Amino acid sequence: MDVLDVARWQFGITTVYHFMMVPLTIGLGILLVVMHTMWVRTDNPEWLRMTRFWGRIYLINFVLGVATGLVQEFQFGLAWSEYSRFVGDVFGSLLALEALLAFFLESTFLGLWIFGWGRIPKKVHLAALWAAVIGSIVSAYFIIAANSWMQHPVGVVTDDATGRPQQVDFLAVLSNNTALAAFSHTIVGSLMVAAALLVGIGLWHLRKRRLAGLSPDDVDHAVWRRSVRIGGYASLIAFVLVAITGDYQAKLMYQQQPLKMSSAEALCETEAPAPFSVFAFGKVGSNECDDVHSWTVPALLSYLAHGDFETAVPGVNQLQEEYSAAYGATYPDDPSFGDKAGEPIDYTPLLAVTYWNFRLMIGMGMLSAGVAAYALWSTRRGRVPTSRIGVYGSLLAVGAPFVANAAGWIFTEMGRQPFVVYPNPDVPREDQVYFFTAQAVSPGVSAAEVWTSLITLTVVYGALAVVELWLIVNFVRRGVTTSDGAPTPGHTPDGDPDADVTPGSASTRRADDDDVLSFAY
C-alpha cells in the first residue's frame, strides 16, 4: 500500500475507535443528569445509587474517550498536513471554540462534580453535572459542524492567492443544514447506545438476583428494575427519533451527495420510479455497479429520496459520467497528487462498503429497539425475566448500537470518496470549493513512517480497550455497592456543606473523606 492508503487506514482505525466512546459519553451523560436530578428532587435512595453506579461507567468512558481523542488532532498534522492547510481557515475557529469553550466547560464542571460530593450544596453539585453534560453536547456540535463542512462546504470563498477556502460567514458554517441533520441524528443515536447499556446490565443483575433468591423489595432490586425501564423507554423513543432524523439526513444526501446514496442502494441506472434494494449479490470486491444485482421493493427508493413514488433517482453510471465531466476524468498531472497524478478518477465510492454499512447501521438499530421492547415486556408489572437466551442476548445486544454508530460513520466518510471536501452542488461550478483525498496527505512522510505510527497507535488503542473493558466489567460485576447507598458526606440540600457530616473534627472528617473519588471505585 502507498502512503495515502496507509494514512487512510490509520485515520479510519483511530477515529472509529474514538467514536465508540463518544456516543456513550453523550448518551449516558443525558441519562445520568436525569438520575441525579431525580435524586435531588425526591431524595429517593434508588436515584442516588443509580447516579453513583452509572456515574462510574460514565467517568471511565469519558477519561479514555479524551485520551483517544487527542490523537485525532496530532495525526492531522502528521499524516494530513495538506488537508490541514486546506481546511485550516474554517477548522481553526471551530476547533478553538470546541477546545476553549465546550471542552473547558465539560472538563471543569465534571471535575467539580467528581470532587464536589459533600463539599458543595446539593443543587450546585447537580448544576455542575448539567454544565458538564451540556459541554459534551456543545463540543459534539462543533466537531460535527467541522465534519459537515467537509460534506457540504458553506460560508467560504476561494482565496485566489492560495487556492484555499477563506471563511467569510461563520454563522453559515455553524447553521449548515448538513450539520443540523447530522447533529440531531448523532445525539439520538448516542441515547440509544446508553439506553442499551442500561437494559443489558439491568436485566443481567435482575436475573442474577432472582436466581440467588434475593428479595425483590429492597433498594438494589429497584435500582436495576428502574434502570431497565428507563433504558427500554429511552431506547424506543430514541429509535423513533433516529428514524425521523435519518430520513431527513438521507433526503439531504440525495441532494448534496447523490453518488453516496445511489451507491448505498447499488442503483446502477437512473430509474423512475426507483426501487429500494433489500439484498444485493454479485462479484465480491468489484466496484463495477453492473456486477451487482439486487432483490428490490419497487418505487420505495423514490419515496425515501423525494417523498413520492414517481420521481427519478439518478443511477451510479449516470452520476459517474456527470462527475467526470465536471471535475475531470483523471487526476491533474501534478506532483501534489503523488502516485495518483494523471490516473483515472473513480467517483464511485466502494460499493460493498457503502451498501453493507448502510444496512448494518439500520439493522443494528432495529435489533437494539427490539431488545428494548423485549426488556419492557419481560419486566412488566414487576416481573423478572429468567430466560438465559433473553437476558444474555440482551447483554450481548449492548454492542448493537455501538456497531450501528460505527457503521453509520464509516458509511458517511467512505461514501464521499474520492473527495475529502465534497463540492457543494448549490454553488456554481466555478465557485465551488473541493479537495481530493489524494492531495490531502502529507508530502513529506513515507509509507514506513505512517506504518510505524499506525502499528504503534493500534497497539496502544488495543491496550486501552483492554483497560476500559476490564474496568467496566469489574464495576458491572460488583454492581451497586454499600457506599452507593451510604449518606453523602456533607449532604446539604440547602446550604452549609458540613451541616450533616458525621461527628468529629473538621480535620478528621477531611481525612476520612480524602478519598473523594470513593463513589467511583
Side-chain angles (χ1 to χ4, degrees), residues 231-255:
Y233 283 117
S235 183
L236 289 179
I237 294 170
F239 177 70
V240 172
L241 295 175
V242 161
I244 294 172
T245 56
D247 178 66
Y248 173 70
Q249 196 174 18
K251 286 182 169 59
L252 211 54
M253 281 187 192
Y254 269 110
Q255 299 170 19

Side-chain angles (χ1 to χ4, degrees), residues 276-301:
F276 176 83
S277 174
V278 178
F279 185 82
F281 55 94
K283 292 182 179 177
V284 178
S286 172
N287 214 39
E288 292 297 328
C289 192
D290 294 327
D291 290 339
V292 180
H293 308 283
S294 293
W295 294 335
T296 60
V297 178
L300 182 56
L301 183 57

Side-chain angles (χ1 to χ4, degrees), residues 6 10 448-461:
V6 182
Q10 175 177 283
E449 290 170 333
V450 186
W451 266 115
T452 302
S453 62
L454 169 61
I455 294 170
T456 303
L457 289 173
T458 302
V459 171
V460 171
Y461 275 26

Side-chain angles (χ1 to χ4, degrees), residues 3 66 84 98 112 119 160 218 327 337 372 376 385 425 429 496 511:
V3 176
V66 170
S84 300
E98 192 273 335
L112 192 60
R119 285 177 162 77
D160 293 334
D218 64 19
Y327 305 105
F337 286 84
L376 292 175
R429 169 66 186 84
D496 182 2

